[in-house]
Amino acid sequence: MGSRLVVVGGGAAGMSAASAARRTDPALEIVVLEASGYAAYGLCGIPYYLAGSVTSADDLVAYPPTFFRDRRRIDLRLHTSVSHIDPERRHVTVSQDGHERRLGYGSLIVTTGGRPVRPPLPGLDDERVFTIRTLEDAISLRCLLDAGRVGSVLVVGGGYIGLEMAEALAERGAAVTVVEAENQVMPNLDSPVAALVEQEVRRRGVDLRLRTMLHGAERIGDQLAVRVGTQRLVVDAVVLATGVRAASSLAADVGAKTDDTGALLVDSAMRTSLPDVFAAGDCVAPHHRVLGRPAFVPLGPAANKMGRVAGIAAAGGSATFPGVVGTAVVKVFDLAVARTGLTLAEALAEGLPAVATDALGKSRAKYYPGSGPVHVRLVHTNDGRLLGAQVVGVGDGVAKRIDVVAVALQAGLSVADLVAADLSYAPPYAPVYEPVLLAAQAADALATQPDSPVAA
Amino acid sequence: MGSRLVVVGGGAAGMSAASAARRTDPALEIVVLEASGYAAYGLCGIPYYLAGSVTSADDLVAYPPTFFRDRRRIDLRLHTSVSHIDPERRHVTVSQDGHERRLGYGSLIVTTGGRPVRPPLPGLDDERVFTIRTLEDAISLRCLLDAGRVGSVLVVGGGYIGLEMAEALAERGAAVTVVEAENQVMPNLDSPVAALVEQEVRRRGVDLRLRTMLHGAERIGDQLAVRVGTQRLVVDAVVLATGVRAASSLAADVGAKTDDTGALLVDSAMRTSLPDVFAAGDCVAPHHRVLGRPAFVPLGPAANKMGRVAGIAAAGGSATFPGVVGTAVVKVFDLAVARTGLTLAEALAEGLPAVATDALGKSRAKYYPGSGPVHVRLVHTNDGRLLGAQVVGVGDGVAKRIDVVAVALQAGLSVADLVAADLSYAPPYAPVYEPVLLAAQAADALATQPDSPVAA
């Protein structure tokens, strides 16, 4: 019993943890308990499955359950949930097929992920109201779409998930309304950058309403009457995309320490404050390298990396997770929208003497077909410390441009260092005046003339 | 006279230098002498101009001459060549309209660029034999193409310029033969990576002949009979792409120090060994950060950066050029082919204890439309020091993936650091198992198990 590793949750973090544990200790008994009917699925692929560009939900599954069972000797149990951890007696309470029983562990990895925030409003407990957080949710909505029964839809929340959903539903021909309580979309971008995204969303026919709240929904036959702001709309479906919190209660309820957002706190080997209990993925607030403290930034690649470290450490190996810098990219219609590090708003809220420098460049040489605008915002201190970046523009190069700044942040490079970066150039892929370098030059000029007026 | 800045050459480096000098000293007299009829042109755009995707040669010019004359008060003189520098009396000998005269300088910037290597073979001094190094060369070849007079062509040299030319000519419908003396294309790639490029070139119908030399050409009416290897071919044109050397003789002939390839040696402010004579661009061997010494790597972005530093320094300002890591990307039909740092062959030739780790990944999530293979090779020491990378695959993301490694090299990150890089992920732009990180993980596993057998 002492050598059994139990993993709670079979998503990206959980299956990465189990796989890394297997590589670390070929003899270890490894059990993964997953509440849904799917493991190793890509939540990030759901918008493309709904839009129809991905045919089957099975395509979103990285490996089938048999792969883990047969090839990696991982005892993966689907439709199996965990209701309690007893950290003193080292067992979990497992529910499967209506039966509860106890399962002992030598070490435990909690990868319970995120849970959608559901506004406490009347009428939202309806099968036409969706929170897209599991493949099962997505399959239900896709069935409605395939049946031609979603002519109009309300998306609640203008964050990146809300906008991905808006795009997917618009591509299926639905009339889409998005309501966002704040005065900009994507709260993790600075407002001038978010304005570029809003422009694109509206250009593509989405009815975007800022500073507008949902007040409730009411079923009328096959439709829902919703109250948004001062208006009443009738739609075929509602999608809630009002944020995600760490699903940490299983561990937190028995004493695991959390940050003020409720996400689990861990050390660099992904150990929680409970003995032999590790955690990884969206239920964790990992170390943020720019902030220098834990932060809740639930994103897939970090979930995989944290899972790997937790798996190695829980199996007795040695590994550390050095933290995140908060890099993310999302496709919003024809724009790629990316960020890393801190926004200006985040940096100022942190008390840092931050400014932002914007540059507008091209994705390719101006004469090369398909060249389009790329907007780069660098966030930095007055004396040239790099704090973050936002990049919005056309083409696959945006995602990788943000990665250039992500690596620079990880390495502690200054804006002056970034000016000297030896980045690749060829007319089909970049202009000779690379937008990231244009922004770095402008930021460096600001930093070396600290008395000049600074536009933020 | 003492305050006049003279720039020899109006290409990327020269015009960057002149512009930076103007910003540094608004009162300085600045004269740029350019032998051809164009300034600030993009040599890298020539293949796309020949292919027809860029309509006019004027599109390759970043700014027209009037922009420099009127907006930047730079005395740009086209069709004006320099035959001699007198570093003691501080003047250059200028030829314009058949007249020679002297022009004094307070400081001088040499941006004479590269010169194509012409094999010393019979019959190559023919108007149907092209070395594509000036816009004028390109315009002549394009006229022949537009007139439908290039049904078949021989490209001599399988380096990146030869392959870009092969693609451009094939897109115009020409039957293209490429001969390369070595046993692989692109000598700046390791052979397993070059093999992927060869496959693509052949797949697209180019008759690629390795280990094959050109022995000479002979005019037969409107065609050329060429001897390649043991065969005789008859073609409508020959394009020589047999390498580039630094066009350094103007400065070297009067004592400026060069490296063993003939490229000018400079300090970090781009000063040559001659007093008040600076140099920038393809005529220079800049500091190579990975090699830790000067190296001749003639590429556009570095030319711009060096020009900017030379211009600031020559105008009395303060700037330094910290060097290159040798980053480059080229499009070869449907593949993007990129490199940075050292290849395995280069690292071994340098005496470094280097190995290579290869990983094959995807450009996008495997389920996302348009996802294609991306091959990543990392070159590193046995103990995990990063030395370089090569990336070959589909899509714009390849160019920016190499930039991730370029920044990591600049910052001195290890392969273990690269494993932890917080790179962006979304299904349209990257798979959750990012190919660069897959390669870094494999390289790190090698580095932490130094006794295991190592495949290079």
Side-chain angles (χ1 to χ4, degrees):
Chain A
M1 207 63 88
S3 72
R4 182 190 291 145
L5 168 65
V6 172
V7 180
V8 185
M15 298 319 298
S16 291
S19 299
R22 170 55 67 232
R23 283 191 297 272
T24 305
D25 182 352
L28 186 67
E29 182 188 354
I30 303 173
V31 181
V32 178
L33 309 169
E34 165 60 36
S36 83
Y38 296 90
Y41 45 81
L43 283 179
C44 303
I46 286 177
Y48 313 102
Y49 166 64
L50 292 175
S53 54
V54 174
T55 311
S56 157
D58 290 335
D59 294 334
L60 303 185
V61 175
Y63 299 100
T66 50
F67 172 84
F68 294 104
R69 289 174 187 144
D70 301 341
R71 298 281 298 278
R72 294 191 174 161
R73 291 175 293 115
I74 292 166
D75 181 2
L76 168 61
R77 306 181 191 173
L78 300 176
H79 303 293
T80 305
S81 61
V82 173
S83 58
H84 185 70
I85 301 171
D86 186 330
E88 289 183 15
R89 298 195 185 82
R90 298 188 185 227
H91 62 68
V92 293
T93 305
V94 176
S95 300
Q96 190 173 21
D97 300 327
H99 298 284
E100 285 216 331
R101 63 183 196 85
R102 287 173 182 172
L103 181 67
Y105 63 79
S107 54
L108 182 72
I109 305 178
V110 176
T111 64
T112 39
R115 60 178 170 81
V117 174
R118 282 185 84 99
L121 295 171
L124 298 191
D125 185 18
D126 188 296
E127 62 180 19
R128 290 290 182 115
V129 177
F130 296 87
T131 58
I132 306 296
R133 190 69 201 173
T134 66
L135 275 193
E136 280 89 345
D137 296 338
I139 291 167
S140 305
L141 180 53
R142 166 97 180 231
C143 287
L144 274 190
L145 285 165
D146 288 352
R149 291 163 68 191
V150 187
S152 63
V153 64
L154 174 72
V155 175
V156 185
Y160 82 93
I161 292 174
L163 297 185
E164 282 185 330
M165 296 302 300
E167 177 179 351
L169 295 162
E171 285 191 6
R172 294 298 296 260
V176 179
T177 302
V178 175
V179 293
E180 164 59 49
E182 301 297 319
N183 63 0
Q184 70 167 66
V185 297
M186 298 192 70
N188 61 348
L189 299 179
D190 286 325
S191 54
V193 181
L196 300 173
V197 182
E198 289 158 15
Q199 208 172 30
E200 174 71 2
V201 168
R202 292 200 166 107
R203 189 178 74 81
R204 297 296 291 262
V206 170
D207 178 6
L208 171 63
R209 304 179 184 194
L210 300 176
R211 292 170 297 276
T212 302
M213 308 258 299
L214 171 70
H215 298 296
E218 189 184 352
R219 186 67 173 244
I220 302 177
D222 267 358
Q223 293 193 298
L224 290 162
V226 292
R227 284 171 289 127
V228 287
T230 58
Q231 285 193 297
R232 186 172 176 274
L233 300 178
V234 177
V235 293
D236 296 312
V238 171
V239 173
L240 298 176
T242 41
V244 169
R245 292 277 176 277
S248 58
S249 60
L250 191 67
D253 286 353
V254 293
K257 286 186 183 153
T258 63
D259 75 354
D260 55 10
T261 71
L264 296 168
L265 292 171
V266 292
D267 69 9
S268 64
M270 308 310 295
R271 279 185 197 86
T272 69
S273 60
L274 300 175
D276 296 315
V277 178
F278 299 76
D282 290 358
C283 59
V284 166
H287 178 70
H288 192 295
R289 290 175 179 229
V290 182
L291 290 172
R293 59 171 171 78
F296 179 61
V297 275
L299 292 163
N304 275 299
K305 290 191 185 86
M306 286 190 260
R308 179 170 168 265
V309 169
I312 293 170
S318 168
T320 57
F321 180 65
V324 299
V325 295
T327 314
V329 65
V330 58
K331 177 178 176 294
V332 181
F333 294 101
D334 289 347
L335 285 184
V337 182
R339 59 157 283 160
T340 190
L342 308 181
T343 62
L344 180 62
E346 289 165 353
L348 293 174
E350 203 65 20
L352 292 164
V355 291
T357 302
D358 293 276
L360 182 63
K362 292 278 188 182
S363 61
R364 299 172 169 182
K366 64 173 184 175
Y367 53 76
Y368 195 86
S371 179
V374 173
H375 183 106
V376 177
R377 161 169 283 217
L378 290 182
V379 180
H380 53 99
T381 61
N382 262 317
D383 60 354
R385 181 187 161 204
L386 193 60
L387 297 172
Q390 294 153 72
V391 184
V392 176
V394 298
D396 293 10
V398 165
K400 297 294 138 189
R401 283 187 169 99
I402 206 73
D403 291 349
V404 164
V405 183
V407 174
L409 280 172
Q410 173 183 352
L413 297 191
S414 66
V415 291
D417 292 329
L418 194 56
V419 169
D422 189 7
L423 304 184
S424 60
Y425 161 64
Y429 308 118
V432 71
Y433 298 104
E434 161 58 39
V436 169
L437 299 186
L438 285 179
Q441 281 186 17
D444 187 41
L446 259 187
T448 52
Q449 294 165 21
D451 295 336
S452 60
V454 164
Chain B
M1 206 64 85
S3 70
R4 180 190 293 147
L5 169 64
V6 173
V7 180
V8 184
M15 297 321 297
S16 292
S19 298
R22 169 57 65 235
R23 285 191 296 274
T24 305
D25 182 351
L28 186 66
E29 182 188 353
I30 303 174
V31 181
V32 178
L33 308 170
E34 165 59 36
S36 82
Y38 295 89
Y41 45 82
L43 283 179
C44 303
I46 286 176
Y48 313 103
Y49 166 65
L50 291 175
S53 55
V54 174
T55 311
S56 157
D58 291 335
D59 294 334
L60 302 185
V61 175
Y63 298 101
T66 50
F67 172 84
F68 294 104
R69 288 176 187 143
D70 301 342
R71 298 281 298 279
R72 293 191 174 161
R73 292 176 293 115
I74 291 167
D75 181 2
L76 168 61
R77 306 181 192 174
L78 301 176
H79 303 294
T80 305
S81 61
V82 173
S83 57
H84 185 69
I85 301 171
D86 187 331
E88 289 184 13
R89 295 194 187 83
R90 299 190 184 225
H91 61 69
V92 292
T93 305
V94 176
S95 299
Q96 192 174 20
D97 300 328
H99 298 284
E100 286 216 329
R101 63 184 195 84
R102 288 174 181 170
L103 181 67
Y105 64 77
S107 55
L108 181 72
I109 304 179
V110 176
T111 66
T112 39
R115 60 180 170 80
V117 174
R118 282 185 85 98
L121 295 171
L124 299 191
D125 185 19
D126 187 296
E127 63 180 18
R128 290 288 181 117
V129 176
F130 296 88
T131 57
I132 306 296
R133 191 69 200 176
T134 66
L135 277 193
E136 280 89 345
D137 296 339
I139 291 168
S140 305
L141 179 53
R142 166 100 180 231
C143 286
L144 274 189
L145 286 163
D146 288 352
R149 290 163 67 189
V150 187
S152 62
V153 64
L154 174 72
V155 175
V156 184
Y160 81 92
I161 292 175
L163 296 185
E164 283 185 330
M165 295 302 300
E167 177 179 352
L169 294 163
E171 286 192 4
R172 295 298 295 262
V176 180
T177 302
V178 175
V179 292
E180 164 59 49
E182 302 297 320
N183 62 0
Q184 69 167 65
V185 299
M186 297 192 71
N188 60 349
L189 299 178
D190 285 326
S191 53
V193 181
L196 301 172
V197 181
E198 289 158 15
Q199 209 170 30
E200 173 71 1
V201 168
R202 291 201 166 107
R203 188 178 73 83
R204 297 297 290 264
V206 171
D207 177 6
L208 171 63
R209 304 180 185 193
L210 300 176
R211 293 171 296 277
T212 303
M213 308 259 298
L214 172 69
H215 299 296
E218 189 184 351
R219 187 68 174 243
I220 301 176
D222 268 359
Q223 293 193 299
L224 291 162
V226 293
R227 282 170 291 128
V228 287
T230 58
Q231 285 192 296
R232 185 174 176 273
L233 300 178
V234 176
V235 294
D236 296 313
V238 171
V239 173
L240 298 176
T242 42
V244 169
R245 291 279 177 277
S248 58
S249 59
L250 192 67
D253 286 352
V254 293
K257 286 186 184 156
T258 62
D259 76 353
D260 56 10
T261 72
L264 295 168
L265 292 171
V266 292
D267 69 8
S268 65
M270 307 309 295
R271 279 185 196 87
T272 69
S273 60
L274 300 175
D276 296 315
V277 178
F278 299 76
D282 290 357
C283 59
V284 166
H287 179 69
H288 192 294
R289 289 174 180 231
V290 183
L291 290 171
R293 58 172 172 81
F296 179 62
V297 276
L299 291 163
N304 275 298
K305 291 191 184 87
M306 287 190 258
R308 179 169 168 266
V309 169
I312 294 170
S318 169
T320 57
F321 180 65
V324 300
V325 295
T327 314
V329 65
V330 60
K331 177 178 176 293
V332 180
F333 294 101
D334 289 347
L335 286 184
V337 181
R339 58 157 283 161
T340 190
L342 307 181
T343 62
L344 180 62
E346 289 164 352
L348 293 174
E350 202 65 19
L352 292 163
V355 291
T357 302
D358 292 277
L360 183 63
K362 292 278 188 182
S363 61
R364 301 172 167 180
K366 64 174 183 177
Y367 52 76
Y368 195 86
S371 179
V374 173
H375 183 105
V376 177
R377 161 168 282 216
L378 290 182
V379 180
H380 55 99
T381 61
N382 262 317
D383 60 353
R385 181 187 162 204
L386 193 60
L387 297 172
Q390 294 153 71
V391 185
V392 176
V394 298
D396 293 10
V398 165
K400 297 294 140 191
R401 283 186 168 101
I402 206 73
D403 290 351
V404 164
V405 184
V407 174
L409 281 172
Q410 174 183 350
L413 298 190
S414 67
V415 291
D417 292 329
L418 194 56
V419 169
D422 188 7
L423 305 185
S424 60
Y425 162 63
Y429 308 119
V432 71
Y433 299 104
E434 162 59 38
V436 170
L437 298 186
L438 287 179
Q441 281 185 17
D444 187 39
L446 259 189
T448 52
Q449 294 164 24
D451 294 336
S452 62
V454 164

